Amino acid sequence: MSTENISTVILSSQGRFKELMSLYLKEYGGYEVLDDFSSDSELYNTLSSIQKSFLIVDTDDDANMDFIARVSSDCPNCKILAVSENPTVDFIIKVMRLGAKEILSSPVIKSEFFDVLKRVCEQLNGEYQKINKCRMITVFSNKGGIGKTSVASNLALELAKTTKENVALIDLNFQLGDITTFLDLKPSFNISYMLKNLDKINKDFLLNTLEKYKNTSLYVLADPPYFKQADDISSKQVARLFDILKDSFSYIVVDTDANFDGKTITALDNSDLLFLVTCINLPALRNCQRCLDLFDKLGYSSDKVQVLVNRYMENDEIKADDAEKVLNKEIYWKIPNNYFTMMAAINKGVPVSEINPASNVAQSYKELAIHVSDSIHRRELIKKYTASSVDSIDNILRG
């Protein structure tokens, strides 16, 4: 481990808090506390100029929350610990979204703080082995013209923007894939090339080979350019590709074709969340009902399979409540109908947020991404604290 001390800043108006953190840091070793800043601007400039740094934030002071977001966005080599007297699940999710990946409750327990210091030290010195927590989301419909590719591409981009983590968007429609058209990309490599070179693939290879969408953390793997290439792709290869991608990305979003072939079933089987896309009209709902029956026979849980309504209109003849009764399932999300904004986005080959970020449909995709990522964090937090004491569970789940 590197012997170079990690520059550390404690942001709090409470003298006792700063004193205790400083004592713990000195006892642990390897951290150098910087203080005597005349303003937040001076503190920010200092963090910006340091190669490796650690920021401890007392979040009971609301003014410090904006500072977390700013540092997280502009200082990628600064690790952030948020400390709060009452860290409810909603609060933890909010702080994690701002950029603090470590959270402790106060008063801080020394052993828990030391565990954080160990992780931060390993991360900043390149010795931390990340535990694979990738979540795979497949967007499916067995009916064409529903808007499945729009959902997949817009959701994937918003996940990348919301979480600031690496997201892979995979076009598994080997015959008529449209993701590169929707995002106006001309990739040098496609999924057929990847599947022929599975033994060469690692994280560096993927991040340098997959097409990156503009200045985001979204990476796109395109469909094969020729029909003949699709014939040579096996379900086993697709499954192996997913395993490799899960080691390098936090989220994988898959756009499938409308057929229940082996490759599509492989994607569905490997998914943590399956969005079954439909519209609220009789033919679409009938097809949706058949898919739900099939997914039930395949053994997919009701939590895994979720119904997403596209082009939703409040004044439709068939209401959302009626659709839920027909499907015997609650609708997970409704993307509002906004024909002109969506068509402008499709025709220009850009996500809807680039056409009109204030539109109802752009806001819906943004909120969907937040909801998906928050739900994942929430399940992980509840699972984590189930093994803790009753008092800790009550505290963390309050609210």
Side-chain angles (χ1 to χ4, degrees):
M1 184 176 292
S2 172
T3 57
E4 180 184 352
N5 286 343
I6 296 171
S7 299
T8 303
V9 173
I10 305 168
L11 184 59
S12 175
S13 59
Q14 303 297 320
R16 176 58 184 155
F17 177 83
K18 297 176 74 171
E19 181 184 349
L20 181 62
M21 293 296 95
S22 297
L23 285 172
Y24 284 166
L25 287 161
K26 184 177 180 180
E27 181 179 343
Y28 186 85
Y31 289 82
E32 179 186 0
V33 177
L34 309 179
D35 52 16
D36 297 328
F37 296 103
S38 60
S39 65
D40 284 353
S41 295
E42 184 183 345
L43 193 160
Y44 169 80
N45 290 335
T46 299
L47 290 173
S48 300
S49 65
I50 297 172
Q51 183 64 30
K52 295 184 294 185
S53 58
F54 181 40
L55 174 64
I56 302 172
V57 184
D58 176 6
T59 56
D60 290 334
D61 184 347
D62 292 338
N64 292 340
M65 300 294 277
D66 290 338
F67 193 78
I68 290 176
R70 188 181 177 195
V71 170
S72 172
S73 176
D74 300 341
C75 310
N77 290 324
C78 180
K79 301 302 177 184
I80 303 172
L81 165 65
V83 181
S84 172
E85 187 177 351
N86 181 31
T88 63
V89 168
D90 288 338
F91 170 83
I92 293 173
I93 290 170
K94 177 182 177 181
V95 174
M96 289 177 71
R97 198 187 303 140
L98 290 175
K101 302 307 181 187
E102 300 284 354
I103 297 98
L104 290 177
S105 59
S106 61
V108 173
I109 298 171
K110 184 167 70 171
S111 61
E112 294 181 355
F113 184 49
F114 279 14
D115 287 342
V116 170
L117 295 180
K118 182 176 184 293
R119 283 194 297 273
V120 168
C121 194
E122 289 174 344
Q123 289 167 1
L124 291 175
N125 289 304
E127 299 168 4
Y128 183 71
Q129 296 297 315
K130 180 182 176 184
I131 298 172
N132 178 24
K133 292 184 178 179
C134 177
R135 292 297 178 268
M136 182 165 151
I137 303 161
T138 292
V139 181
F140 178 81
S141 173
N142 69 332
K143 185 174 175 61
I146 293 290
K148 174 174 56 65
T149 300
S150 282
V151 171
S153 55
N154 281 283
L155 171 59
L157 178 63
E158 291 302 329
L159 274 172
K161 289 162 62 176
T162 297
T163 65
K164 299 181 177 65
E165 297 181 32
N166 289 340
V167 177
L169 175 58
I170 313 301
D171 197 336
L172 215 63
N173 188 343
F174 292 134
Q175 300 295 334
L176 298 168
D178 278 327
I179 282 177
T180 53
T181 303
F182 273 59
L183 297 178
D184 192 24
L185 296 174
K186 296 178 175 61
S188 303
F189 301 92
N190 60 70
I191 195 168
S192 179
Y193 174 86
M194 290 291 180
L195 293 171
K196 290 177 182 177
N197 294 274
L198 289 173
D199 57 327
K200 301 177 184 176
I201 296 178
N202 56 33
K203 183 174 182 178
D204 289 337
F205 180 89
L206 287 168
L207 297 184
N208 288 308
T209 305
L210 269 64
E211 194 73 15
K212 188 175 182 181
Y213 183 74
K214 297 184 178 178
N215 189 29
T216 71
S217 57
L218 175 63
Y219 295 80
V220 179
L221 184 53
D223 59 307
Y226 307 109
F227 287 168
K228 181 72 175 66
Q229 290 174 293
D231 296 336
D232 301 327
I233 296 173
S234 69
S235 300
K236 189 175 180 180
Q237 287 176 304
V238 172
R240 174 65 182 140
L241 177 63
F242 288 147
D243 287 339
I244 294 170
L245 290 168
K246 286 179 179 181
D247 288 333
S248 303
F249 292 91
S250 296
Y251 295 90
I252 299 170
V253 179
V254 182
D255 181 25
T256 66
D257 64 21
N259 299 315
F260 284 105
D261 61 13
K263 294 182 276 286
T264 297
I265 295 294
T266 297
L268 300 177
D269 285 346
N270 279 271
S271 297
D272 300 287
L273 179 59
L274 196 172
F275 278 136
L276 179 55
V277 184
T278 188
C279 293
I280 297 190
N281 61 57
L282 210 53
L285 290 174
R286 186 177 291 117
N287 274 281
C288 185
Q289 193 173 38
R290 289 169 179 166
C291 287
L292 288 173
D293 291 341
L294 176 59
F295 293 153
D296 184 57
K297 290 176 182 176
L298 289 171
Y300 300 161
S301 70
S302 58
D303 286 339
K304 173 175 175 171
V305 179
Q306 299 293 348
V307 174
L308 187 151
V309 172
N310 195 27
R311 302 171 192 152
Y312 174 71
M313 292 190 292
E314 294 279 356
N315 58 350
D316 265 347
E317 185 175 350
I318 303 175
K319 305 301 179 186
D321 289 347
D322 298 327
E324 290 179 337
K325 289 176 184 176
V326 169
L327 300 174
N328 194 28
K329 187 172 180 66
E330 186 178 345
I331 293 170
Y332 182 92
W333 202 263
K334 298 186 284 285
I335 303 292
N337 186 49
N338 190 327
Y339 177 81
F340 294 106
T341 302
M342 286 305 305
M343 287 309 300
I346 293 168
N347 288 333
K348 292 183 179 180
V350 297
V352 68
S353 60
E354 293 186 23
I355 292 293
N356 184 358
S359 64
N360 60 347
V361 65
Q363 287 297 311
S364 183
Y365 276 119
K366 180 179 180 180
E367 290 165 9
L368 172 60
I370 291 172
H371 187 75
V372 168
S373 61
D374 283 1
S375 297
I376 290 169
H377 288 317
R378 190 179 298 275
R379 285 198 299 272
E380 289 176 351
L381 288 167
I382 291 172
K383 190 184 299 180
K384 174 182 177 182
Y385 285 94
T386 297
S388 302
S389 68
V390 174
D391 289 341
S392 295
I393 297 170
D394 289 343
N395 185 45
I396 203 71
L397 299 183
R398 194 179 302 128

